[in-house]
């Protein structure tokens, strides 16, 4: 790693890229916050089994995730271009903290702060996503049990399948004419 770059005499390209990185990181923070809102709404919809709301929430969630993927791709490209300007050999992923340390005081501190906020948000999104996933799996198992109970009550043959449950196959009512 190189020594810190004096921000008062930063080359124009370095200033431009560090400002662009800051902008992309701020957009990533905003997108992660939007994703957290979607996850909170999804959690509420699962709690009250509001399936119509789940559809629209999932669509918004997909939009947030696509936006995050686009921004992260931009972030990676900016980091790839920034690394050599601050004297970091880019042998794979370059950490924002390494670039921020090399850039200098003002810009570096801003990048460190935004980067930490983004890291914290990503961890919150992962935790909330896990909670929502578990809730959706529980709801799915519950609804599956209801469907199984209804099929069991409606089954004419009462034939048990391999799993020890009444088979849910197609129910055909038919008769055979033995006189002809």
């Amino acid at each position: 790693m190189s020594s810190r770059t004096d921000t008062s005499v930063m080359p124009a390209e370095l200033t431009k890229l560090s400002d662009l990185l800051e902008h992309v990181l701020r957009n990533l923070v905003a997108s992660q916050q939007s994703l957290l809102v979607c996850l909170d709404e999804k959690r509420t919809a699962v709690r009250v089994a509001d399936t119509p709301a789940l559809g629209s929430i999932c669509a918004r969630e997909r939009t947030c995730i696509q936006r995050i993927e686009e921004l992260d791709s931009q972030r990676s490209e900016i980091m790839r271009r920034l690394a050599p300007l601050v004297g970091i050999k880019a042998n794979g992923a370059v950490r924002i903290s390494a670039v921020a340390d090399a850039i200098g005081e003002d810009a570096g501190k801003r990048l460190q702060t935004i980067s930490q906020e983004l890291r914290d948000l990503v961890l919150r999104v992962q935790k909330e996503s896990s909670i929502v996933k578990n809730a959706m799996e529980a709801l799915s198992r519950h609804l599956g049990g209801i469907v199984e109970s209804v099929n069991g009550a409606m089954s004419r043959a009462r034939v048990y399948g391999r799993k020890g449950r009444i088979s849910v196959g197609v129910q055909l009512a038919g008769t055979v004419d033995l006189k002809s």
Side-chain angles (χ1 to χ4, degrees):
M1 284 189 19
S2 71
S3 61
R4 290 181 174 247
T5 305
D6 183 3
T7 54
S8 62
V9 291
M10 279 190 351
E13 182 70 7
L14 183 59
T15 302
K16 176 183 162 194
L17 287 174
S18 66
D19 288 347
L20 187 57
L21 178 60
E22 184 178 340
H23 176 73
V24 167
L25 290 175
R26 288 188 191 283
N27 284 336
L28 273 166
V29 165
S31 295
Q32 290 286 349
Q33 288 169 335
S34 296
L35 187 55
L36 267 175
V37 168
C38 288
L39 287 170
D40 185 53
E41 291 173 3
K42 188 187 241 184
R43 188 179 191 179
T44 302
V46 168
R47 186 179 324 118
V48 297
D50 186 357
T51 53
L54 278 173
S56 65
I57 293 168
C58 286
R60 286 194 350 256
E61 184 179 17
R62 276 190 302 275
T63 301
C64 287
I65 291 169
Q66 287 172 344
R67 178 72 176 140
I68 289 169
E69 287 173 350
E70 291 167 5
L71 289 166
D72 196 53
S73 177
Q74 290 175 20
R75 180 201 55 80
S76 294
E77 176 59 22
I78 294 167
M79 294 295 288
R80 187 192 62 74
R81 291 173 50 200
L82 258 174
L85 293 176
V86 294
I88 298 174
K89 292 182 181 177
N91 299 336
V94 179
R95 296 186 59 87
I96 293 172
S97 59
V99 170
D101 285 342
I103 285 177
E105 293 300 319
D106 296 338
K109 281 185 179 178
R110 286 194 311 271
L111 289 175
Q112 287 280 19
T113 302
I114 298 166
S115 174
Q116 185 59 49
E117 182 181 359
L118 182 58
R119 226 180 339 268
D120 294 343
L121 276 169
V122 167
L123 290 174
R124 280 185 57 205
V125 164
Q126 288 173 342
K127 180 182 175 188
E128 288 298 316
S129 182
S130 175
I131 291 169
V132 170
K133 177 185 174 215
N134 290 338
M136 290 189 77
E137 287 172 349
L139 178 61
S140 176
R141 284 190 305 273
H142 174 69
L143 292 176
I146 291 172
V147 168
E148 190 176 304
S149 295
V150 169
N151 276 326
M154 302 299 288
S155 174
R156 292 178 185 213
R158 301 239 183 242
V159 176
Y160 287 86
R162 291 183 183 169
K163 295 181 180 179
R165 296 180 178 157
I166 295 177
S167 291
V168 185
V170 177
Q171 303 292 323
L172 296 175
T175 56
V176 177
D177 183 7
L178 297 176
K179 291 184 182 179
S180 1

